[in-house]
Amino acid sequence: MLTFKTTLTSLALITGALSAGFCQNAAQPGAAQPKPLISSIYTADPSAHVFNGKIYIYPSHDIEANVAQDDEGSHFAMQDYHILSMDRIGGKVTDHGVALSLKDIPWAGRQLWAPDAAFKNGTYYLYFPVKDKQDIFRIGVATSQSPTGPFKAQPNPIPNSFSIDPAVFTDTDGTSYMYFGGIWGGQLQRWHTGKYEANGSKTDLKKDNEPALSAKVVRMSRDMLTFDEPVRDAVIVDKDGKPLLGGDHDRRFFEGGWMHKYNGKYYFSYSTGDTHYLAYAVGNSPYGPFTYQGILMKPVTGWTTHHSIVEFQGKWYIFYHDVELSGKTHLRNIKVRELTRRPDGSLETITP
Ligand code: FUB
């Protein structure tokens, strides 16, 4: 997550104007650009899940907080979460209102960033990154009996959690894992020694010829409230099995990880951040290593790109965001479109 010294805003406005004529609340493979799923509020970072045969979306709720833009993403000063649902792709999108507020999280300081959700043991879990009162990103968890909340936050962050963008994946054997992390504003680079460096780098480690920082993966405890083991690196390697390097900005992990499983393989997808791609890598274990495969989606309008992938009624969909509605990088809107998977399991690159 970072700042936006680009001309993408004007590009967004042009694209928004061009696409304004096509709008269905639908994934339209091979057709016009999908339209924002909801325009009454700004939404981003959509984590989609199917619970009880229905699609639930757990997005960030972007607001104009009038905070100056900086390299740490301070202008993304979100204060609550709204959960959205839809009975079918292309159907009506319902906003279920505020599900969790910053003010109701006892340990939180500022910036509620990209959340995710899970269901287990008859309970819905909302996982969220937020800066604590020392301004260090931690990951919290809140619970509810309903997929739409309201959610009640645990009194403390998940022990040993740090950085941003939790994505919780439950494997076919019922074991759940959390993937997390993000560099630059997501602070992952400040944890490279295992301890938080308050005066550490604000961006990359600047070690271009060393292995890139990895996303993190950890098995969740049975009650889904804590980590069940020490956090591990989810390493992304090239086709020769060598870890991607820090200077490989087109391919290395930046933030926004997501896991899905297809035909027994583990597909880890993520944002490359400053090069604005969604990329994916495939492995034989939920822990990786994951072999880089290619670009899943080319840059959207706006600086950030963040997604989730979900199967619904036999088809695969990608939920993502751009800035069509506002033209402003911190006021985003979510969209959905169908993914095209080739017979060998690879994914076609989407040009948004
Ligand atoms: O929404 C705030 C941050 O922007 C997310 O945590 C990142 O993934 C990026 O989308």
Side-chain angles (χ1 to χ4, degrees):
M1 143 80 41
L2 54 59
T3 58
F4 318 104
K5 299 163 184 147
T6 67
T7 55
L8 285 170
T9 296
S10 46
L11 182 60
L13 290 170
I14 294 165
T15 309
L18 287 175
S19 61
F22 301 109
C23 295
Q24 299 288 328
N25 266 356
Q28 301 170 47
Q33 283 290 321
K35 78 174 257 194
L37 285 174
I38 183 166
S39 55
S40 49
I41 57 172
Y42 291 111
T43 52
D45 310 322
S47 292
H49 291 274
V50 177
F51 296 132
N52 306 317
K54 196 166 165 169
I55 301 166
Y56 292 90
I57 310 167
Y58 298 81
S60 299
H61 175 199
D62 284 355
I63 53 168
E64 181 53 84
N66 294 311
V67 176
Q69 179 170 305
D70 62 21
D71 270 350
E72 293 178 272
S74 300
H75 46 307
F76 292 87
M78 296 84 101
Q79 299 195 355
D80 63 26
Y81 294 116
H82 285 223
I83 292 157
L84 313 177
S85 70
M86 49 208 288
D87 290 328
R88 60 181 178 86
I89 300 289
K92 179 171 174 257
V93 178
T94 301
D95 174 357
H96 296 272
V98 175
L100 181 67
S101 283
L102 190 64
K103 62 179 171 39
D104 296 325
I105 304 167
W107 52 273
R110 61 177 179 139
Q111 295 181 289
L112 277 179
W113 282 12
D116 191 23
F119 174 72
K120 198 175 261 188
N121 315 320
T123 298
Y124 294 88
Y125 299 85
L126 180 69
Y127 297 95
F128 56 89
V130 66
K131 283 181 179 162
D132 65 14
K133 295 191 193 301
Q134 286 72 48
D135 231 26
I136 300 173
F137 266 117
R138 304 282 181 183
I139 297 171
V141 55
T143 58
S144 175
Q145 293 310 300
S146 161
T148 56
F151 282 86
K152 182 162 174 48
Q154 293 290 300
N156 294 296
I158 296 175
N160 303 319
S161 70
F162 54 93
S163 197
I164 60 166
D165 291 358
V168 174
F169 161 75
T170 299
D171 206 345
T172 33
D173 67 358
T175 310
S176 298
Y177 303 86
M178 180 185 287
Y179 298 82
F180 67 91
I183 61 175
W184 295 49
Q187 301 179 340
L188 189 61
Q189 71 282 357
R190 293 185 170 183
W191 289 93
H192 75 114
T193 60
K195 283 193 173 166
Y196 184 73
E197 297 173 337
N199 297 317
S201 171
K202 287 187 174 173
T203 59
D204 291 90
L205 285 183
K206 309 286 179 227
K207 294 180 177 170
D208 285 0
N209 294 317
E210 292 185 15
L213 283 161
S214 294
K216 302 295 174 186
V217 54
V218 62
R219 190 177 62 238
M220 299 300 293
S221 58
R222 281 173 183 272
D223 67 7
M224 299 292 273
L225 299 177
T226 60
F227 296 162
D228 204 25
E229 59 179 355
V231 166
R232 311 184 193 197
D233 282 341
V235 178
I236 301 169
V237 298
D238 64 17
K239 293 256 157 80
D240 297 322
K242 294 192 183 124
L244 299 185
L245 300 179
D248 191 350
H249 292 234
D250 277 351
R251 300 194 297 173
R252 61 95 169 90
F253 171 80
F254 189 102
E255 65 183 0
W258 186 260
M259 172 58 64
H260 77 276
K261 192 175 184 182
Y262 178 78
N263 266 357
K265 301 273 188 200
Y266 296 84
Y267 286 66
F268 181 66
S269 42
Y270 55 95
S271 164
T272 64
D274 53 347
T275 47
H276 314 287
Y277 296 119
L278 293 176
Y280 77 106
V282 175
N284 293 315
S285 151
Y287 291 114
F290 302 102
T291 305
Y292 180 85
Q293 302 295 314
I295 293 172
L296 176 59
M297 185 180 271
K298 291 184 182 170
V300 294
T301 54
W303 200 94
T304 66
T305 184
H306 189 122
H307 76 300
S308 62
I309 293 172
V310 70
E311 186 179 19
F312 183 65
Q313 297 180 344
K315 291 183 175 178
W316 288 89
Y317 296 92
I318 181 167
F319 287 74
Y320 62 104
H321 68 231
D322 64 21
V323 297
E324 179 181 327
L325 286 178
S326 74
K328 294 184 181 170
T329 200
H330 63 298
L331 298 176
R332 300 161 289 179
N333 51 259
I334 61 167
K335 295 183 170 181
V336 60
R337 60 194 295 163
E338 195 177 336
L339 276 180
T340 305
R341 201 185 285 275
R342 301 188 191 93
D344 66 358
S346 62
L347 296 164
E348 272 188 12
T349 303
I350 298 165
T351 302

